[in-house]
Amino acid sequence: MRDLVSRSLLLAGFVMVTFANQAMWVTFAPVASQVAAKLQVEVRWVGFLPVLYPVVFLLLSIPAGKLADMDAVKWVMIAGVLTAIGATVRFAGFNLFVLYFSQFLAAVAQPLILNGFVPLTKLYSQEKRSVVLTTMSVSMYSGIAFSLLAGVPVYSTFGITGLILPAAVLSVIGLVVLICAHRFLSTGPATPSSVNTGFGSVVCRPFVMVFGCILGLGVGTFDNLSTWLEPALSSTNFSHHAGQIMGIAISAGVIGVGVISPAVARYRWHIGYLKFVLVFVLLSMVLLTVYPKLVVFYILIITSSVLMFPAYPLIMEMVAERFLQGGLAAGAVGMVSRVVTVTLTLLASAYIGDASLFFRFLSIPLLAGVALITLWNDTII
């Protein structure tokens, strides 16, 4: 009974810290111009704050994964400390140095958090693994969605304090809950179905490369839409709808994770579902190149989000089943994913002058993703 309570507290604390950490990632993104004016700096300096996350993740993903395999609870708690300090130190003074310092602490915490997903699931029974991963993934996406959707109205009503308060409160409460859970927790991790040991045997596995690329292509598509949709739609007469489209799409994607992931996991349809999703998103991007109507943008981008977002917990569940060093494997998949995502986002900047050209560009890597998942032999890891 004590372990059941402790593991429930562990998940609750982890969810709060994850939400807070992800919310910190894009806290100022919706109001970058206003924040820059308040700081009396160029807007690009505020815009660079979110860039710290993927840069630090690329550098620390593999080491963070190895640390999570050694003692997931300990390093998640350290990530909680870093997130809580980063979130609360922003109250010390609103200037560029404080913002970058707090963002750096949270960016260091992120790979410890995300690569802790798989190792932490081994504290729970295999039957609960899908539900636990789904809950973690919902908190991950919800933090981002909250900041993007609430940023403008919260800043307009409560100013800077209103923007930074939610992450600070949740991160501190989450850390306290994690400490309480750790004090009484005893562990007995389950053994995965397939064992791989050693750095090379994990990072260089075909599974890691293929599904890292697939995850990167999916995430990269939506990173590009979030980053470049407004300027890409400047060739149309509805570019001002870009923010609303993506806000609704991300929120709908969170719902998709909560509803679709457990259902797919229950029927063991992971590979088939990923094939279906990649084909659907590819066809959506192709259709948007030839039929750029506002209602079509809303329908296809929102539906694509609902279907694509569950890919993350489903891929992480496959990692948990195939690798003993789940943290290292998750870190490797995440690193490959981020390389693909960052590359696509940088390349896409050359194609944002025309909506049709932009969506044509997005369809090319998705076609590669369809080919990868179609050729994949599930007996290979």
Side-chain angles (χ1 to χ4, degrees), residues 313-337:
L314 292 174
I315 290 175
M316 289 300 106
E317 185 175 4
M318 289 193 289
V319 169
E321 292 174 348
R322 286 163 169 79
F323 295 91
L324 177 62
Q325 293 174 293
L328 178 57
V333 170
M335 183 186 70
V336 173
S337 164

Side-chain angles (χ1 to χ4, degrees), residues 194-350:
S194 186
V195 174
N196 297 282
T197 58
F199 178 84
S201 67
V202 173
V203 177
C204 298
R205 287 285 178 175
F207 178 93
V208 168
M209 296 299 175
V210 169
F211 285 91
C213 286
I214 288 171
L215 183 61
L217 291 171
V219 173
T221 298
F222 288 97
D223 273 7
N224 272 307
L225 290 172
S226 299
T227 304
W228 304 121
L229 185 60
E230 193 275 336
L233 293 183
S234 60
S235 61
T236 70
N237 60 357
F238 43 83
S239 62
H240 57 285
H241 286 273
Q244 185 178 53
I245 292 173
M246 292 313 301
I248 296 173
I250 292 172
S251 301
V254 173
I255 297 172
V257 172
V259 174
I260 295 174
S261 299
V264 173
R266 188 180 307 118
Y267 293 104
R268 309 298 305 160
W269 195 48
H270 296 66
I271 302 296
Y273 180 79
L274 291 172
K275 289 179 182 178
F276 164 72
V277 170
L278 284 168
V279 170
F280 181 89
V281 178
L282 169 62
L283 293 178
S284 297
M285 297 302 108
V286 171
L287 183 57
L288 290 174
T289 67
V290 297
Y291 197 69
K293 302 295 182 182
L294 181 58
V295 65
V296 179
F297 275 99
Y298 271 98
I299 292 172
L300 291 184
I301 292 178
I302 292 171
T303 305
S304 295
S305 296
V306 171
L307 296 175
M308 182 61 82
F309 277 39
Y312 185 87
L314 292 174
I315 290 175
M316 289 300 106
E317 185 175 4
M318 289 193 289
V319 169
E321 292 174 348
R322 286 163 169 79
F323 295 91
L324 177 62
Q325 293 174 293
L328 178 57
V333 170
M335 183 186 70
V336 173
S337 164
R338 292 299 173 96
V339 170
V340 173
T341 297
V342 171
T343 301
L344 289 178
T345 304
L346 292 174
L347 290 176
S349 63

Side-chain angles (χ1 to χ4, degrees), residues 5-20:
V5 173
S6 296
R7 293 178 193 199
S8 298
L9 285 174
L10 177 68
L11 183 58
F14 184 74
V15 162
M16 287 187 275
V17 169
T18 301
F19 182 101

